[in-house]
Amino acid sequence: MTTTKSSANLPILEQFRTGLPNICGWEAEIHSVVQQNHPVFLNTTNLRLENITAGFACALHMHQPSIPAGDHGEIISNLQYMFEHPHQGDNHNAEPFAWCYSRMGDFIPQLISEGCNPRIMLDYSGNLLWGLQQMGREDIINNLKRLTCDSQYQPYVEWLGTMWSHAVIPSTPIPDIKLHIQAWQHYFAAVFGYDALQRVKGFSPPEMHLPNHPDTLFEYIKALKECGYRWLMVQEHSVERLDGSGLSHDEKYIPNRLIARNSKGETISITALIKTQGSDTKLVAQMQPYFEAKGRTRQQIGHVTIPSLVTQIADGENGGVMMNEYPRDLLRVYHEIRDSGNNHSGIVALNGTEYLELIEAAGVNPDEYPTCQAVQQHKIWQRVYPEHSTPEAVEKAIAELKETDHQFHMDGASWTNSLSWVKGYENVLDPMKKLSALFHEKYDSLVEQDPSVTQSSDYQKALLYNLLLQTSCFRYWGQGTWTDYARELYRRGEALLAVS
């Protein structure tokens, strides 16, 4: 712990300074909260490790982008736009989506009242939370507050941090990675409070995208740890063993230690829970991780035997299977577990931090987790000795590999490798990089001299446009309306930063 300052003594964040989202201004206070290292679940869990054969951990990812599409060009949530234009495309799904954002606040209390022992991990982008508040959807926010702030539900629900504006990390300018992470922490604290933020220890990257450039990955993990995160969820095919081989089947069901080496020879690591491949929404919606866990057994790390853990995440609202089948199968499976008398033994639901706290309290040393690195990195370190690397040597190796190995890339890996977040989107990426450079050129030295600059509305507005422009949706939906949105966000952001 870096501070003994109690979160109860910290100032309450103002939720809507100047009508803008609370994404900055309280960096020191946020840091003192997230660096507190108290157990999150260990003192409240109703599970005992020795009774568990295997566990399953499910997470729901929720996001709606912020777009310049209000009646007078205001930035509004895409969800609001869907409500206001119900006859365009799939916009008739607006209310079902809104229900999906709210419904875990009903399902979890219902299951508990019925004698079940559920678990769920929640990942909501900052854009989405801001949009819900812009729309006045206090019904949804209050349902989420019920899960987050009511002590009777805290042992069952874990929030995961993410990038505020749903930016895919490999193509995010390195100086902005930590700004996104901090912005989400600011906004989450403004909605749910410091005590709730203190319990957020796992991180869910947008699109499950893991950077594999040595310097980007290093700075990403460094930022996560500086922001108080203990573990990261990664997709199994986005990592490799240090010799370039894939993870063994058993290793996908225990924690791994993700190692990042940068081009200066520095090394950092963080615990990784492995999300296995598959049809994500169908797997989670039909509760397949529970059935997969039935085929898993305990494993040994060091001198300790621990349960295997099946980890899975999916969009919480996208597609008919998630909208329609998930409520049915969620309730059915937890009733089945309850009726078999296995609420607390055999195959059980767990959350990520709960699992890690249980196994580490039992004597597991995180240094003994199997080690992995980002995919493709072994090819670099075969050419550059890590302990004696230089930025020039690493960039030379990368350039040579791109010339000679058609399978080599430094675009990172995500949960859909059929989509590039870089190729064909130079008209978004180039302005994105330029706006970021303008932002840092204007504000970095000012903030260094006076950290309170981040509380000014000018800084807040400029940061907002910088982060919004990096939203993945502007590169997911193809050229056209969405790239036009990006162009408009850049125009506004550049105009703000041009003002002396």
Side-chain angles (χ1 to χ4, degrees), residues 435-436 438-440 442-443 462 492-500:
L435 188 64
S436 174
L438 289 171
F439 175 83
H440 290 283
K442 180 169 184 175
Y443 282 112
R492 297 184 192 182
E494 184 186 39
L496 282 171
L497 289 165
V499 176
S500 59

Side-chain angles (χ1 to χ4, degrees), residues 338-377:
R338 175 200 63 193
D339 295 343
S340 66
N342 289 326
N343 263 349
H344 305 93
S345 63
I347 309 302
V348 303
L350 286 156
N351 284 327
T353 300
E354 178 183 29
Y355 174 71
L356 292 171
E357 287 183 346
L358 281 168
I359 66 173
E360 290 171 15
V364 171
N365 183 345
D367 291 338
E368 294 182 319
Y369 294 154
T371 53
C372 61
Q373 63 189 4
V375 70
Q376 302 266 1
Q377 285 197 347

Side-chain angles (χ1 to χ4, degrees), residues 437-499:
L438 289 171
F439 175 83
H440 290 283
E441 181 181 345
K442 180 169 184 175
Y443 282 112
D444 282 3
S445 61
L446 294 176
V447 172
E448 186 174 353
Q449 295 168 24
D450 179 8
S452 69
V453 166
T454 63
Q455 294 186 5
S456 71
S457 59
D458 287 347
Y459 177 93
Q460 188 180 12
K461 194 177 293 186
L463 176 63
L464 174 64
Y465 281 101
N466 187 35
L467 300 186
L468 285 179
L469 185 57
Q470 296 167 13
T471 306
S472 69
C473 304
F474 304 131
R475 282 172 282 151
Y476 185 90
W477 298 110
Q479 300 288 336
T481 300
W482 289 89
T483 48
D484 289 345
Y485 287 152
R487 188 175 297 112
E488 175 61 16
L489 290 171
Y490 172 77
R491 185 192 67 78
R492 297 184 192 182
E494 184 186 39
L496 282 171
L497 289 165
V499 176

Side-chain angles (χ1 to χ4, degrees), residues 70-371:
D71 289 340
H72 304 288
E74 305 96 335
I75 294 175
I76 62 172
S77 172
N78 184 61
L79 183 64
Q80 179 177 334
Y81 185 88
M82 292 173 68
F83 273 109
E84 294 174 352
H85 302 82
H87 303 299
Q88 293 182 12
D90 293 331
N91 287 0
H92 58 274
N93 282 327
E95 191 52 54
F97 277 14
W99 176 61
C100 290
Y101 300 138
S102 177
R103 64 189 181 182
M104 294 313 293
D106 298 320
F107 291 161
I108 295 297
Q110 175 188 339
L111 286 166
I112 294 169
S113 71
E114 293 170 347
C116 298
N117 197 30
R119 297 291 190 276
I120 195 65
M121 296 184 289
L122 300 175
D123 156 15
Y124 282 54
S125 72
N127 301 76
L128 174 58
L129 292 172
W130 181 37
L132 293 172
Q133 291 203 308
Q134 285 179 300
M135 295 169 65
R137 291 301 299 259
E138 292 301 316
D139 57 326
I140 300 175
I141 295 294
N142 287 336
N143 238 14
L144 295 175
K145 284 183 178 178
R146 183 186 187 194
L147 289 183
T148 310
C149 304
D150 189 327
S151 60
Q152 67 178 313
Y153 302 125
Q154 288 170 11
Y156 305 92
V157 179
E158 175 169 13
W159 279 91
L160 303 177
T162 190
M163 303 281 271
W164 188 81
S165 191
H166 205 269
V168 286
I169 294 148
S171 52
T172 299
I174 287 177
D176 295 327
I177 293 174
K178 188 173 181 180
L179 292 179
H180 274 282
I181 296 170
Q182 290 177 315
W184 186 92
Q185 291 177 323
H186 271 76
Y187 202 85
F188 184 86
V191 177
F192 299 108
Y194 281 123
D195 287 340
L197 177 62
Q198 189 177 312
R199 297 191 295 272
V200 182
K201 294 301 178 185
F203 193 85
S204 176
E207 305 299 341
M208 293 303 297
H209 212 169
L210 185 73
N212 62 346
H213 188 287
D215 291 337
T216 308
L217 181 60
F218 182 92
E219 293 301 326
Y220 174 37
I221 294 179
K222 181 172 177 247
L224 287 175
K225 298 187 79 165
E226 288 176 349
C227 291
Y229 288 101
R230 298 179 191 167
W231 63 274
L232 168 70
M233 192 183 300
V234 302
Q235 175 91 333
E236 66 169 275
H237 69 252
S238 67
V239 292
E240 63 185 13
R241 290 282 155 252
L242 302 190
D243 63 2
S245 60
L247 277 60
S248 73
H249 191 65
D250 285 343
E251 287 170 339
K252 299 170 189 175
Y253 301 99
I254 57 175
N256 281 247
R257 187 161 62 94
L258 176 62
I259 294 176
R261 302 183 178 103
N262 68 9
S263 61
K264 298 176 182 177
E266 299 171 302
T267 300
I268 198 169
S269 67
I270 193 169
T271 297
L273 292 180
I274 310 298
K275 173 207 168 297
T276 52
Q277 286 179 263
S279 178
D280 309 295
T281 51
K282 183 173 287 189
L283 287 172
V284 172
Q286 298 177 349
M287 296 294 286
Q288 288 300 317
Y290 164 66
F291 299 101
E292 185 178 357
K294 285 186 171 184
R296 304 304 308 164
T297 59
R298 293 174 69 91
Q299 298 192 53
Q300 188 162 326
I301 297 181
H303 300 293
V304 184
T305 303
I306 66 168
S308 296
L309 184 71
V310 178
T311 305
Q312 191 58 253
I313 184 172
D315 286 351
E317 81 282 63
N318 264 332
V321 66
M322 184 51 73
M323 284 190 278
N324 303 313
E325 296 181 37
Y326 182 55
R328 177 200 68 197
D329 289 339
L330 176 78
L331 300 177
R332 178 180 63 81
V333 164
Y334 278 115
H335 290 160
E336 175 184 315
I337 295 171
R338 175 200 63 193
D339 295 343
S340 66
N342 289 326
N343 263 349
H344 305 93
S345 63
I347 309 302
V348 303
L350 286 156
N351 284 327
T353 300
E354 178 183 29
Y355 174 71
L356 292 171
E357 287 183 346
L358 281 168
I359 66 173
E360 290 171 15
V364 171
N365 183 345
D367 291 338
E368 294 182 319
Y369 294 154
T371 53

